[in-house]
Amino acid sequence: MWVATVLPKPAPPVLSVLISSRNPKQNSIHFRFSYRPLNFKLSATKLQQQLPEPKADKKNPSSSDIGWLPAFPHVLIASMSNFVFGYHIGVMNGPIVSVAKELGFEGNSILEGLVVSIFIVGAFLGSVASGSVVDKLGCRRTFQLDTIPLILGALISAQAHSLDEILWGRFLVGLGIGVNTVLVPIYISEVAPTKYRGSLGTLCQIGTCLGIIASLFLDIPSETDPHWWRTILYIASGPGFFLALGMQFAVESPRWLYKVGRLDDAKTVICNLWGSSEVETTIQDFQSVIENNGVNVGSGWLELLEEPHSRAAFIGGALFLLQQFAGINGVLYFSSLTFRDVGITSGSLASLFVGLANFAGALSALYLMDKEGRQKLLIGSYVGMAVSMFLIACAISFPVDEELSHNLSILGTLMYIFTFSIGAGPVTGLIIPELSSAKLRGKIMGFSFSVHWVCNFLVGLLFLHLVEIFGVAPVYTCFGSVSLLAAIYAKYFLVETKGRSLEEIEMSLNPNFSVRDKRP
């Protein structure tokens, strides 16, 4: 789950990424729907799996379908983490020149790039550590603990009077971001009702888009006020306080509650979020998974090398590697120059166009995720990205008319960002926890996102160098080729998870699972 941002002026391209719980005793809106877990085994030697179509739900015709409402407030609170994430992605893009001038490193492009991107180092470490923390503390407490580096990092950055202070502040922010990018998809996948898990999962992407757009608007005064950057960094600490407070009223993941032996609390959360009719069958599924996989909160990292965990970790790492080497950071870096070619010299305006395309794609994903499915969206997204890259490469290599070439480049850039935010952005972060086992979901996500941050850094580091050597068109052609490869990978190595509970998916993909249907 990564979203789009853009640097307003050429700077070292180490640019970023991407990429709930109320008191269980309180009353909540209830809903009812039923499903039947599918019992079957699949070969452990195959990465390509094909699950049969889920059976149609048998709903009470007298009851209205409001299944997403009970979980929505909790997911919304968790998505505030992504708003913080998006805000910090964009907050330094505009005022970096003012920061450099005031802190004494103006004109040093290496240090300017380091200030913008130091959070990648912190994010990598945060992603690696997040899996163990979530296993021990649960999602709610991890969310609240994670607000500490986010708030402190923002305040230290806002009060910085030296290069070291601004770097430490940005590093702490990155540490919090690294934990959040892992934690939010896990939390949403574990508290959202099965039928609406995809749609609610896209709130991650929407939250990040809104955070970027908010930072871009707040960046505007920095063009005339050289000290405005301190104000917007102080503002960055505000959402962290809101998140910490909101998590006091959000529910804990029922799956984590069951793992640590809090059966009554797990039943209460399930009843409040998914409906009382789901309690017994869901608890049976939890129990079956634990009995067959030995789920515990003390799992080790070396277990990622064992089946079926190694398969999920491989898929997660491969998805993020393909996502990043499909060129999202390079395209976003170069988009400001592309807009400048057609007369849009304002970096903020160019960023706004990018943000609106990204937001439109995220809204489309909200509607399509549970309607069309993850696999189809991912394939369509990467095909669209490939077409966009090839369009831009052709416009640059074979210009019929200069104005037409520039317009095609703009069209290709916006289409690339739009199609990315429909599938490659939101689906990648959502499908990994769906394919992961309950025992190692946190660690698989942590590993996958650590691959993401490393690839993110490499693309940012090498992009301009490759452009200088080969030119824009060949580099974009490579991005398009990787996008096609990603579409092929999604076609043949992913399963469709739409409409299936996490336990149902795990039972189906784990060859060691002994089927026990405990239902009458």
Side-chain angles (χ1 to χ4, degrees), residues 1 19 82 143 179-190 197 201 204 429-430 433-434 441 445 449:
M1 142 198 62
I19 143 185
N82 288 82
F143 268 119
V179 175
N180 276 345
T181 52
V182 172
L183 182 59
V184 177
I186 292 177
Y187 181 77
I188 293 178
S189 68
E190 294 196 351
R197 190 173 61 236
C204 296
L430 177 64
E434 291 181 329
R441 185 167 291 125
M445 284 292 288
F449 269 99

Side-chain angles (χ1 to χ4, degrees), residues 13-15 117 120-121 324 329 451-462:
V14 259
L15 135 82
S117 60
I120 291 181
V121 178
Q324 291 300 299
N329 281 323
V451 172
H452 166 277
W453 293 110
V454 170
C455 294
N456 179 294
F457 176 79
L458 291 176
V459 171
L461 182 67
L462 298 175

Side-chain angles (χ1 to χ4, degrees), residues 380-391:
S381 173
Y382 277 119
V383 170
M385 291 163 62
V387 171
S388 303
M389 288 290 92
F390 295 146
L391 176 64

